[in-house]
Amino acid sequence: MDELQSAVALRLSRRQMVRAALATLPAIGVLRSQEQAPAQQPTFSSNVKVVNVLATVHDKQGQIVRNLTKDDFVLEEDGRPQAIRYFAQQSDLPLLVGLLIDTSGSERRMIGTEKDASHTFLEHVLRPTKDRAFLIHFDREVELLQDLTSSRQKLENALDELNKPEFGSNGNSGGSGPNSSSGGGYGRGGWGGGGHHRGGMIGGTALYDALYLASNEVLKKKNGRKAVILLTDGEDNGSKVSLGESITAAQRSDTLAYAMRIADEESPAGGFGGPGMGRHGGGGWGGGRGGGPYGRSSQNRPDGKKILQQISKETGGGYFEVSKKKTVDQIYSQIEEELRSQYSLGYTSDRPEADGGYRKIQLTVKQKGLTVQARDGYYAGVGT
């Protein structure tokens, strides 16, 4: 844990910081398996008394309900009623949003659609000088294409990076192998080592690592409403952290995760590489603790839908599926509407935060037929 804290304290560039974080991920897993104190800082330290909960309310038709008051809500922590001390509509508070785009082989034909829709979304949702966004792509590595910025031009330039041949291509233009050191990336390289390798024939999808790093390295110490949008089929086979650890990172950083499942059903074998090297292709490149070789059978593939539903539910975000009836643009519009229509509730727990640990939150409304979308809980201070 000392090594992780020292790494975080170093004055490194953003890309160097994430490379350092990647290198320490296996150690984090060991510490947690031994039930020691987590390496991450808790979401709410011992001197923070107010627990904040962002919520969206829908009616039976799925329409957003915007006219509720504090008295319409009932809030419990670990089954005990809590008094709501702070209540507001959230539309005026700063928004920090990250786009996490899957550029692995199974998604390569969708990248153009995702890029164009993302341009439109950022143009609509970001308010100048008030909101900021960042962009991460992930395949067998995780790479920050643009750090938090309010500049639409910088974000557009980062999205245009996805047009480059190395993203979703059949070649190896981003590097020549696991230890490639071609320029500019803080990518996974040889497990957080030197350089990056975009797209290409060597397959892998580090979804959990992308969520972990977005939450822990980009958003954790920032103030405001925080959300990430995952554009992926939800199948991870290369991460160094587990699904649970990635969700915990989002919860500790107070980040909502919205999942947009995009599955290219017409992709040849759902392949990670080019034609002839599909999802069940031979060979294989070993994944992290949360993954494994990509040459496994379809019976052992993760259920991307269930994974994304779990991520969104436990962090308080939403789950959506792209289909012929619901396009990427339409889903982005729904997410934009939710982000503009949130309620913010604050309460002081009736237990001292020094007790530590994870605390379950249940937020409901008195009116029947309404559904509340909010996070499941939070981590109380543990004296760190």
Side-chain angles (χ1 to χ4, degrees), residues 13 47 136 164-165 213 234 236 238 376 384:
S13 68
N47 61 348
I136 284 176
K164 292 186 176 181
L213 292 168
D236 184 294
D376 283 350
T384 56

Side-chain angles (χ1 to χ4, degrees), residues 24-36 39 212 240-242 245 289:
T24 60
L25 292 182
I28 293 173
V30 172
L31 287 174
R32 288 186 175 171
S33 66
Q34 295 172 349
E35 297 185 352
Q36 297 180 18
Y212 179 96
K240 299 177 74 175
V241 301
S242 67
E245 286 167 334
R289 291 189 312 103

Side-chain angles (χ1 to χ4, degrees), residues 5-86:
Q5 292 172 338
S6 297
V8 173
L10 290 176
R11 294 187 176 183
L12 302 174
S13 68
R14 173 65 67 182
R15 291 187 173 186
Q16 290 171 316
M17 286 177 64
V18 179
R19 184 185 292 122
L22 277 167
T24 60
L25 292 182
I28 293 173
V30 172
L31 287 174
R32 288 186 175 171
S33 66
Q34 295 172 349
E35 297 185 352
Q36 297 180 18
Q40 304 154 293
Q41 295 295 322
T43 304
F44 302 100
S45 61
S46 57
N47 61 348
V48 176
K49 296 181 179 180
V50 177
V51 179
N52 295 303
V53 183
L54 293 172
T56 306
V57 181
H58 297 88
D59 61 20
K60 290 182 178 180
Q61 288 72 42
Q63 299 300 310
I64 293 177
V65 179
R66 299 179 175 84
N67 60 350
L68 300 177
T69 68
K70 181 178 73 172
D71 294 335
D72 291 314
F73 288 88
V74 177
L75 192 151
E76 296 182 349
E77 178 185 287
D78 289 339
R80 299 184 314 280
Q82 305 291 319
I84 299 172
R85 300 180 181 276
Y86 171 81

Side-chain angles (χ1 to χ4, degrees), residues 16-319:
Q16 290 171 316
M17 286 177 64
V18 179
R19 184 185 292 122
L22 277 167
T24 60
L25 292 182
I28 293 173
V30 172
L31 287 174
R32 288 186 175 171
S33 66
Q34 295 172 349
E35 297 185 352
Q36 297 180 18
Q40 304 154 293
Q41 295 295 322
T43 304
F44 302 100
S45 61
S46 57
N47 61 348
V48 176
K49 296 181 179 180
V50 177
V51 179
N52 295 303
V53 183
L54 293 172
T56 306
V57 181
H58 297 88
D59 61 20
K60 290 182 178 180
Q61 288 72 42
Q63 299 300 310
I64 293 177
V65 179
R66 299 179 175 84
N67 60 350
L68 300 177
T69 68
K70 181 178 73 172
D71 294 335
D72 291 314
F73 288 88
V74 177
L75 192 151
E76 296 182 349
E77 178 185 287
D78 289 339
R80 299 184 314 280
Q82 305 291 319
I84 299 172
R85 300 180 181 276
Y86 171 81
F87 180 88
Q89 287 282 152
Q90 218 36 47
S91 58
D92 289 333
L93 291 184
L95 173 66
L96 307 177
V97 61
L99 304 185
L100 279 56
I101 299 180
D102 186 344
T103 53
S104 64
S106 61
E107 294 291 295
R108 68 182 182 275
R109 299 202 313 168
M110 312 301 295
I111 290 176
T113 300
E114 296 169 359
K115 180 188 75 68
D116 293 342
S118 297
H119 271 299
T120 303
F121 171 75
L122 292 174
E123 182 179 344
H124 288 171
V125 77
L126 293 185
R127 297 165 295 180
T129 73
K130 195 163 194 175
D131 303 325
R132 292 184 290 166
F134 65 98
L135 176 64
I136 284 176
H137 94 89
F138 61 95
D139 38 59
R140 65 175 291 271
E141 66 178 14
V142 181
E143 185 176 8
L144 181 69
L145 295 178
Q146 175 58 54
D147 202 351
L148 276 168
T149 181
S150 58
S151 169
R152 290 181 180 174
Q153 186 60 55
K154 288 182 178 180
L155 291 164
E156 288 177 4
N157 292 342
L159 283 168
D160 287 340
E161 286 271 316
L162 300 178
N163 279 334
K164 292 186 176 181
E166 57 261 39
F167 286 104
S169 70
N170 296 334
N172 291 327
S173 55
S176 59
N179 296 312
S180 166
S181 58
S182 58
Y186 63 75
R188 299 167 61 79
W191 292 121
H196 67 293
H197 173 94
R198 294 177 178 176
M201 296 294 288
I202 296 179
T205 308
L207 166 62
Y208 307 154
D209 284 357
L211 177 58
Y212 179 96
L213 292 168
S215 302
N216 202 48
E217 297 298 319
V218 182
L219 293 174
K220 182 177 176 181
K221 296 183 179 180
K222 301 296 189 295
N223 295 319
R225 292 181 296 144
K226 293 178 278 191
V228 295
I229 302 173
L230 303 167
L231 292 87
T232 177
D233 59 11
E235 297 185 11
D236 184 294
N237 69 341
S239 285
K240 299 177 74 175
V241 301
S242 67
L243 171 61
E245 286 167 334
S246 68
I247 291 174
T248 295
Q251 291 170 331
R252 286 185 179 277
S253 64
D254 207 11
T255 298
L256 307 179
Y258 289 85
M260 189 187 307
R261 184 167 188 263
I262 305 176
D264 185 0
E265 304 297 344
E266 297 180 5
S267 176
F272 287 129
M277 180 173 269
R279 193 181 302 274
H280 314 310
W285 173 77
R289 291 189 312 103
Y294 67 70
R296 57 189 170 182
S297 68
S298 59
Q299 288 84 357
N300 295 325
R301 282 168 50 190
D303 188 328
K305 179 175 181 177
K306 288 184 178 179
I307 288 169
L308 294 178
Q309 286 175 330
Q310 180 179 348
I311 290 173
S312 59
K313 180 179 184 298
E314 295 188 17
T315 62
Y319 171 79

